[in-house]
Each structure stands twice: as C-alpha cells, then as structure tokens.
Amino acid sequence: MAGPAPGGGRPAELALGKLTAYFLVGLLDMVICMLVGIFLFHVPFQGSLLLLMVSSFIFLFGALSTGILISASTRSQLVAYQLGTLTSFLPGFLLSGFIYSISSMPPVIQAISLFVPARYFINIIKGIFLKGIGLNILWPDLLLLTGYGAMMFYFAARKLRQKVA
C-alpha cells in the first residue's frame, strides 16, 4: 500500500478531497434538473427516488474521477479542458442516446457507444424516471457504471500518487 503523500494523506484521500466540492455541486445540479423536469415541464416521476439518487451518485463519482485523472495527466488547464470535452462531454452528449436514438445510429457508432458511460446512465434515468423500472432490471447498467467509477478512481489516485511523488 502506498505511503502518505506530502501533506499527510494517501493518494486516494487526496482524490476524494478533490472530488468532494464538485460532487456536491453535481448533486445540487441533479436535484435542480429533477425539480425543473417535474414541476416546470410536468414530467411524471414513476420510480424510486433512492435508486435514482444512488445511480446519480455512482455516475457522478465516475465522471468526476475521470476529470481528476485527466487533470492529473496534463500539464495545463487548457489541455485538460480540451481533453475533458473530447473524451466525456461530446461522446456523452452525442453517443449516449440523450439526443439521438442509439438504435438509429450506424452499427459502428453503436459499437463505439458501448464505451460511453453516459449511455448507461441515460438508460437508468429513463428507466427510473419515466417507466418506474427497478434495480431488478437496471442492475447491469448500474454494475457497469460502478465498475467504470471504481476503475477511474483507481487510475486517478494512482496518477496523483505519481504526480506528488
């Protein structure tokens, strides 16, 4: 196991510390979006609030861990911003099924979309919010997001350890 990083904490603790503020902002954004959907746009909420929150925590954890990994891997803020946009925002927006139906995409693009974590989160959100689907059906998507989040956090902590060493 790695020893303490400068400043007294292990790399995983450092990564969690960096994630905390952004995690809270992301949760606030999620709650605002949910309330706007329900009360302003009258989208009926059919499923479990607890499952929606847990799923959102897991997705947000993975997405923010990816951001920490990109940030720790680059030398400038501009490069980190560009890499973040290229690797998460654009694929998440275009290949997740949020804007365009995945089934209407060419087979090659459908195959690429399998590597976009937002695809699985969109499936979960649609299932919980609109259809009232539970964990008994959504567990594969949730398991993939959990694995993705754990893997990104591991690599982010490892990269931070290399950076502070």
Side-chain angles (χ1 to χ4, degrees):
M1 195 164 209
R10 293 188 181 123
E13 293 168 348
L14 182 62
L16 283 174
K18 289 178 174 282
L19 288 175
T20 302
Y22 297 107
F23 191 81
L24 294 174
V25 169
L27 290 179
L28 179 63
D29 285 347
M30 186 206 64
V31 169
I32 290 170
C33 287
M34 190 174 139
L35 293 174
V36 166
I38 293 170
F39 294 111
L40 186 64
F41 293 110
H42 307 289
V43 177
F45 183 77
Q46 302 294 329
S48 163
L49 182 60
L50 178 63
L51 184 56
L52 178 67
M53 296 300 285
V54 168
S55 302
S56 299
F57 289 2
I58 292 170
F59 176 73
L60 192 55
F61 180 76
L64 291 174
S65 294
T66 302
I68 296 294
L69 174 62
I70 290 170
S71 176
S73 300
T74 58
R75 290 187 169 207
S76 76
Q77 186 176 1
L78 177 63
V79 172
Y81 174 77
Q82 290 172 336
L83 272 175
T85 300
L86 187 63
T87 61
S88 61
F89 178 74
L90 289 176
F93 194 68
L94 298 173
L95 302 176
S96 66
F98 179 67
I99 299 292
Y100 307 108
S101 172
I102 293 173
S103 63
S104 67
M105 295 176 185
V108 172
I109 303 301
Q110 288 182 27
I112 292 170
S113 78
L114 292 171
F115 298 97
V116 177
R119 170 191 176 142
Y120 303 102
F121 186 59
I122 293 295
N123 286 341
I124 291 169
I125 293 295
K126 285 180 182 177
I128 294 171
F129 215 95
L130 301 176
K131 300 174 187 173
I133 295 174
L135 187 59
N136 58 333
I137 294 175
L138 296 173
W139 71 266
D141 289 339
L142 199 55
L143 185 63
L144 284 168
L145 283 181
T146 302
Y148 170 76
M151 183 177 67
M152 287 297 109
F153 183 75
Y154 169 78
F155 287 127
R158 187 173 169 188
K159 187 54 117 171
L160 284 172
R161 178 177 47 217
Q162 292 171 358
K163 195 169 187 171
V164 297

